[in-house]
Structures are given as structure tokens and as C-alpha cells.
Amino acid sequence: MDFAFDARTEELRAKLLAFMDEYVYPAEAVAEEQRAQLASPWDTPAVVEELKAEARRQGLWNLFLPNTEYGAGLTNLQYAPLAEITGRSPQLAPTALNCAAPDTGNMEVLSQFGDEQQKKQWLEPLLAGEIRSAFAMTEPEVASSDATNITTYIERDADEYVVTGRKWYISGAMNPDCKIFIVMGKTDPDGEDIRRQQSMILVPRDTPGVTVKRAMQVFGYEDHYHGGHAEVIFDHARVPAANLIGEEGGGFAIAQARLGPGRIHHCMRLIGMAERAIELMCRRAVSRTAFGKALAQQGVVHNWIADARVQVEQLRLLVLKTAWLMDTVGNRGAHTEIQSIKIATPRAVVDIIDRAIQLHGAGGLSQDFPLAELYAGARTLMIADGPDEVHQRSLARRELKRYA
Ligand SMILES: Cc1cc2nc3c(=O)[nH]c(=O)nc-3n(C[C@H](O)[C@H](O)[C@H](O)COP(=O)(O)OP(=O)(O)OC[C@H]3O[C@@H](n4cnc5c(N)ncnc54)[C@H](O)[C@@H]3O)c2cc1C
């Protein structure tokens, strides 16, 4: 087994690490200052556009997309260590490289399932980083971890579809640059096959009947960098029938295809977040003294740091194995591993960031260190993209099947 990265990955890693040092980390404070001056907190700070231009100039652009026609053509195994690096600055780096969720998943859907017109109208400007997008599935009224519960109705009316429903936690939708929603709803709510009732449809933000109502909070914060997580109302929003993605009844299958790569990207970025937390923990431990000695000399701090290092190394290996399986046997063949990393990674990373916060005392909870924000981001991933319990249920069932 060869654990080394290949030449292309090494080359991109070196370039990306230099980009992070030279441009991204220094931009973190600048972005904060600029955001405070913006007319709306949902507008994009100018420094973000500068980062995007520089990343594109350096060829650090659309690295997530395995499709060679539209993206960098990297395998999951090649992209995984790069996504990890961007996770060290999750507010800025993924956006700078045009590799931020939910646009990445939406671009994958459009490149795989969109027709020529849909690609031209929506995929091309997304690939160019000119617009943003959102994915609207979750509904406040129903347990949305079970997608068969979705009630949004997509009703055919001559050469149009009429979309009616209420969604929430729709990431990115507060950003005025978010011009397009991929909406999951039911075209055939009474259909016999509960996995063929759903369809996905493109709904432009400016469609009459679409209201971006409010920003939902996460632990009391609004997630400005990721365009927030909005409640969105679709009240008889009419779109051309040509806006349907794929065929009627294909929504469930598209959702499944969308989530595999999305989950591994989140996990790799989480590992980057954990690395940042470990670095902060070590720097703080050697520079702070309590009761006559550096925090770094306390046995308990040794345990925290050692445990964190072990956890990260284990997770990285599992995530890279999953990436390799996705490349070699496909997303279906890597199903169990995708679920394993989705369960294991946020949990462990929350734990690591939590200890880093503890080591920083009150500072760890403050806005002067990125730890509180990293914690909130990592914790949400035990729910977003499907709660842990749903993955545990399906993984355990698969395991039990071998003995039934
Ligand atoms: C920050 C953030 C961003 C998000 N972004 C988006 C987005 O862009 N687009 C979008 O459509 N959605 C988004 N979501 C929503 C997210 O995908 C849903 O919250 C998630 O799928 C769970 O659905 P639910 O909230 O309706 O929880 P429910 O389905 O009501 O589940 C509640 C709890 O029930 C338990 N549970 C459920 N099923 C089982 C089971 N089988 N066994 C045991 N326990 C179970 C779990 O503990 C679960 O947490 C986001 C959420 C967050 C927090």
C-alpha cells in the first residue's frame, strides 16, 4: 500500500499551501473589517472577490469537479488532501477556490443530470464563480432526514410547473448572489413507489412567488460567510417545464448521487478544521503560563494534544480510503465507508475543537479566535446532510444483513 500523494496532488498541495499563507490567512481579518462596513451583512466582502481572482489565476479553481470538461478532473483521492487544506479557513478558502458547498453539489448535479440549456444558463456562471446557488430540500413541518416526507408540491400546468412549499435551513440563500435554487419536491405525491414521487427543479430566485423570508441561526449566529441558512417560501412559483432536472420521479436518485461527494468534501474540510484547532492548541499551550508553568507542561494538555493527533490521523486514513473506493468501485460501492466517515468525522472534530476551546479559556469562546466558529460549523455536520442516527441505522442494517 502506497500512502504517498501522486505528483499532481503534491504540486497542487504546494501551490495551495502557499496560497493559504500568502492570501487566505491574511484576508481573514480584512474580510471581517470589510463586512462590518457593508450595507448588508449578506453582501460579499471585496477581499473575497480578490481571492477568487487570484485562485483562478493560479489554476486553483473548480478542483472539486472530477469532470474534465467542466472541472479540474481530479479524482476524489487527489482532491481530498486539497479540500483538507481549505478546511483550515472554512469561511474563505472553499469560496476562494469555487469549491464551496452547496454550489459544488449543485454544479455536480447540473453537470451530470442537466440538459444543454440548463448547463448554459446555470452551470456555466456557477463554474465561473459569477453567481451562487442553493439546494432546497428540508422543510420545517416534516422530519426531513427522511426525504420521502417532503411535502413541497411541483404541479404540472401545461408547459409550466408550479412549485408550492416551505423550506428552511437553505444554505447560501441569504446571499444576494445566490440566483438559483435546486428545489426538491413531489411531482407525484400519491405514486406507489415512495422513492419515485420526488423530482428536482430549477427555480430562479427572482421568480414571482419566491420569498427568502429570514436567516435561520446556528447557536444564535448567522452564518454570513456561507450566505446564511434561509427560510424560503415557494408560493405557486411558476417556472418553465424545461426547468425540471432529469425526469419526473428522478429526484430521489439525484439526491443520493449528490450526497456522496458532498459528504467526503465536508469530512476533508473538517479534518483541516481539526488541524487548525490542534495548531492553535499547541501555540497557546507553549505561550501561556498558569500556576508557575506553561500550559504545555501540564499532563492533561499532553493527553488532549496526543488524543487529537491520533484521532486526526485515524480519520484521515479512513477518509482517504473512502475517496479511493469512490474512485475505484464508485459511490455505491463506497456506501458503508461514506457513512462511516460521515458519522466519525464531525464527532471527533467537535471533540478536538472543544478541547482547544477549553485550553484557550474565555478566549476560546470569543470572537478573537476562530475556535467558536469552527465548533459551530463542525457541530452542525452531525445533523446537516443527514443526522448521524440515520447513517448509523443504515450502516448497522447493512452489517446485520450478513447474519440474518
Ligand atoms: C447548518 C445547516 C445547514 C443546512 N443546509 C441545508 C441546505 O442547504 N439544504 C437543505 O435542504 N437542508 C439543509 N439543512 C437541513 C438538514 O439537512 C436537516 O436538518 C437534516 O437532514 C435533518 O432533518 P430535520 O432537521 O428535519 O430533522 P428530523 O428529520 O426531524 O430528525 C430529528 C432527529 O431525529 C433523529 N432521527 C431521525 N431519524 C432517525 C432514525 N432513523 N433513527 C434514529 N434517530 C433518528 C435524529 O437524532 C435527528 O437529528 C441544513 C441544516 C443545518 C443545521
Side-chain angles (χ1 to χ4, degrees), residues 101-102 106 133-147 149-150 167-173 182 184 216-218 223 228-230 258-259 263 266 376-377 379-394:
N106 294 340
S133 61
F135 182 74
M137 185 171 89
T138 303
E139 300 176 1
E141 277 88 7
V142 294
S144 303
S145 49
D146 176 358
N149 283 338
I150 298 304
K167 305 284 188 181
W168 75 346
Y169 279 91
I170 306 311
S171 298
I182 295 182
M184 174 96 150
M216 304 308 302
Q217 297 180 344
V218 173
D223 193 353
H229 310 284
R258 182 183 186 278
L259 284 173
R263 285 179 180 144
H266 274 316
R379 179 62 183 83
T380 61
L381 288 169
M382 290 163 78
I383 293 175
D385 273 2
D388 286 0
E389 294 75 14
V390 174
H391 298 291
Q392 286 170 308
R393 170 178 177 263
S394 136

Side-chain angles (χ1 to χ4, degrees), residues 257-376:
R258 182 183 186 278
L259 284 173
R263 285 179 180 144
I264 196 161
H265 298 170
H266 274 316
C267 288
M268 288 311 299
R269 284 190 293 262
L270 278 165
I271 292 174
M273 288 158 70
E275 285 286 6
R276 182 117 192 234
I278 294 173
E279 182 186 327
L280 288 165
M281 188 153 50
C282 292
R283 287 190 190 284
R284 186 75 162 184
V286 295
S287 63
R288 195 108 163 150
T289 301
F291 299 98
K293 56 181 178 181
L295 292 176
Q297 288 174 284
Q298 299 289 354
V300 69
V301 174
H302 293 169
N303 294 349
W304 289 346
I305 291 169
D307 287 350
R309 173 54 56 208
V310 172
Q311 282 172 303
V312 161
E313 296 300 324
Q314 286 174 330
L315 287 174
R316 186 182 287 116
L317 285 177
L318 185 53
V319 174
L320 291 175
K321 179 194 167 191
T322 307
W324 171 77
L325 277 173
M326 288 167 76
D327 293 335
T328 50
V329 297
N331 295 359
R332 283 183 79 86
H335 197 77
T336 301
E337 284 75 13
I338 292 173
Q339 284 178 325
S340 305
I341 57 168
K342 174 69 177 73
I343 297 162
T345 316
R347 221 184 248 184
V349 174
V350 162
D351 195 35
I352 291 168
I353 299 170
D354 188 55
R355 276 177 262 140
I357 288 175
Q358 191 68 16
L359 189 102
H360 281 71
L365 302 167
S366 77
Q367 69 275 41
D368 287 357
F369 294 90
L371 290 165
E373 205 160 5
L374 290 177
Y375 180 91

Side-chain angles (χ1 to χ4, degrees), residues 38 93 96 118 127 131 136 138 146 148 160 174-175 181 197 205 272 279 286 289 335 350 375:
L38 292 171
Q118 292 169 348
L127 286 168
I131 61 167
T138 303
D146 176 358
T148 64
E160 291 181 321
M174 295 304 295
N175 183 337
F181 298 108
Q197 296 174 343
R205 183 196 195 91
E279 182 186 327
V286 295
T289 301
H335 197 77
V350 162
Y375 180 91

